[in-house]
Amino acid sequence: MSRLEAKKPSLCKSEPLTSERVRATLLVLKGIVASCYGPSGRLKQLHNGLGGSVCTTSQSSALLANLSVTHPILKILTTSVQNHVSCFSDCGLFTAILCCNLIENVQRLDLTPTTLIKLNKHLLNLCTSYLQSEVCGCRIPVDFSSTQILLCLVRSVLTSKPACMLTRKEVDHISTLILRAFLLTIPENAGDHISLGSSIIVPLKGQRVVDSTVLPGILIELSEIRLMKILPVKKSDSLKVALFRVSLSGDLSDTGEGSVVVSYGVSLENAVLDQLLNLGRQLVSDHVDLVLCQKVIHPSLKQFLGVHRVLAIDRVGAALMEPLSKVTGTQPIGSLGSISPSSYGSVKDLCTAKFGFKWFLHLIPNEATVCSLLLCNRNGTAWDELKLTCQTALHVLQLTIKEPCVLLGGGCTETHLAAYIRHKTFSDPESILKGSGCTSTELQLITEAFCTALESLTGSLEHDGGEILTDMKYGHFWSVQADSPSDVNWPDLLTRCGCGLHNSREELSWSFLRTARHPFAPRPCLPHEAVGSANNLTLDCFTAKLSGLQVAVETANLILDLSYVIEDKN
């Protein structure tokens, strides 16, 4: 009998944020995520020292999924960000950087955690109320009769991911395709409640990005070109389809648990094959034109169906089952018994198509909200990043339908919001302090820490040593190149603000972002008509950024409230 080891006592650490090791670790995490932020963010390469795949990315979803985190406080932070990204797809880096900034800034204040958390919540409510109000100066309503704002939103998502390695022409091409794919998922006869379809991303690596395209329906990759020769003869306006989720290979792997009783002298293989052929006869007698199977079809059954001009496609995979069911209107068949006529569906037509070096079977739907985005890129690494980015852009468009507005991007929402909070707490502190039990001095200290956290976040957009400014009229973000002469007028150095809405030739005055300045009320942006006609705006998803703001503050409050960390070492 092996010797039993004595159980080790749990390790208890009080006031974890006072530990220099914890602070240094948080600073390292902040440095990693902040250096990835924005269109000029630096890429990160993640790999295991023992081998395996290598991930090159600047996206929070891929970065945090491949980042090994051990300290409990970091786990809280990264898990919160990952949960946010799993729900909204976008603004993960924004959330992580803001959370780190808040923790770092308020730690310098000689205030109790209770006071910090209470006032952080008040300032968060002030932010969310303003962003959701009609007078918000950094929110733009979306007019769905025009695609201009939606294209700018998609383009902003693409340009913020440098690992996609896209040129300006390629960004415009992919942006148009993503918007077209999204529009194809919207039903033509939409009522009060819209049920969106889906866009399937089909990989085609090693091809030019501009060869990417969008097709209504579904593309199924063909492993054998000979299938081109046995396309069914179209007998009517549509083709009848049967969709199987059960294996048609003849093995017994799908029979479930239990025992199989076989009579003496009976060949199990022949009995199963007879059952498959009987199934094939029913499909032929029911005038089925196309058989699709999630798993494998027995060669004999495939040959039998081919003789009767029925096209059989197997190994379509679990991922395509739901889209195939939507496109064809079929109910996936899960047994080898008699098939109900209601299980069958149909497609308008099908054909084969060649893209690059691959052949595909194209199922053209009657009326369906499913489309295929054939996505190309030069290599596998860039394609993986582009796929993630396209999925994010499609999700962002879906969120915009639910909440039809966007926020100004490029750092302008953060600097505008910081200016608004400073002005509000300076001009009307009583409305915020009412019932809080805090003093105005404490409010001003927390406000400065909160606003500095927002402004430091925008500073993460500059990775080349440039200076960050804000204008004293709209509170927008401006950047100037490093080593610029100090005796030149700002309008001669600046071009447009971060979101692209304002230019330097307007009557503006500027101030360095990290210098003290008197609080001012930022003015709203241009009228909606002028905004709608503006080209090349940088925009952010309203729902994703609002959620990211809430998650960042709430996670920071949770971490600030920790008084003990107890670790079980057994």
Side-chain angles (χ1 to χ4, degrees), residues 94-160:
F94 164 87
T95 306
I97 300 169
L98 180 58
C99 184
C100 291
N101 285 346
L102 285 169
I103 295 170
E104 183 182 347
N105 288 356
V106 300
Q107 275 186 291
R108 302 174 184 146
L109 305 177
D110 188 20
L111 299 174
T112 64
T114 303
T115 302
L116 294 173
I117 292 168
K118 188 183 296 183
L119 290 177
N120 269 344
K121 288 180 179 178
H122 280 295
L123 294 178
L124 174 62
N125 290 334
L126 186 63
C127 290
T128 55
S129 298
Y130 177 65
L131 291 175
Q132 292 173 327
S133 68
E134 294 297 325
V135 297
C136 177
C138 50
R139 192 181 74 159
I140 302 173
V142 175
D143 179 10
F144 287 100
S145 64
S146 170
T147 61
Q148 189 63 42
I149 293 294
L150 296 177
L151 267 176
C152 288
L153 179 60
V154 175
R155 194 181 293 118
S156 301
V157 174
L158 287 172
T159 54
S160 67

Side-chain angles (χ1 to χ4, degrees), residues 180-187 195-201 214-218 319-327 368-373 394 398:
R180 189 184 304 165
F182 170 69
L183 294 175
L184 285 172
T185 64
I186 302 176
S195 179
L196 296 177
S198 58
S199 300
I200 303 165
I201 296 180
V214 170
L215 297 168
I218 293 181
L320 282 181
M321 291 302 289
E322 183 180 353
L324 281 171
S325 181
K326 282 184 179 179
V327 165
T369 55
V370 176
C371 66
S372 295
L373 171 57
L394 288 167
Q398 293 170 358

Side-chain angles (χ1 to χ4, degrees), residues 308-324:
H308 292 84
R309 305 295 295 174
V310 178
L311 180 58
I313 304 292
D314 59 357
R315 296 184 177 91
V316 298
L320 282 181
M321 291 302 289
E322 183 180 353
L324 281 171

Side-chain angles (χ1 to χ4, degrees), residues 51 160 203 276 319 352 515 549:
S160 67
L276 289 174
T352 56
T515 57
L549 176 64

Side-chain angles (χ1 to χ4, degrees), residues 469-535:
L469 299 91
T470 181
D471 66 82
M472 308 301 288
K473 182 177 181 180
Y474 303 106
H476 279 217
F477 169 96
W478 302 75
S479 67
V480 62
Q481 292 181 355
D483 302 324
S484 298
S486 57
D487 57 345
V488 178
N489 292 328
W490 286 125
D492 296 330
L493 288 177
L494 303 170
T495 51
R496 303 195 76 86
C497 65
C499 68
L501 192 59
H502 299 291
N503 64 67
S504 60
R505 296 303 171 185
E506 300 178 37
E507 295 181 359
L508 300 174
S509 61
W510 291 270
S511 168
F512 286 107
L513 194 63
R514 295 180 178 88
T515 57
R517 54 191 175 277
H518 192 273
F520 67 97
R523 297 188 189 180
C525 61
L526 297 173
H528 298 327
E529 296 77 13
V531 172
S533 61
N535 293 319

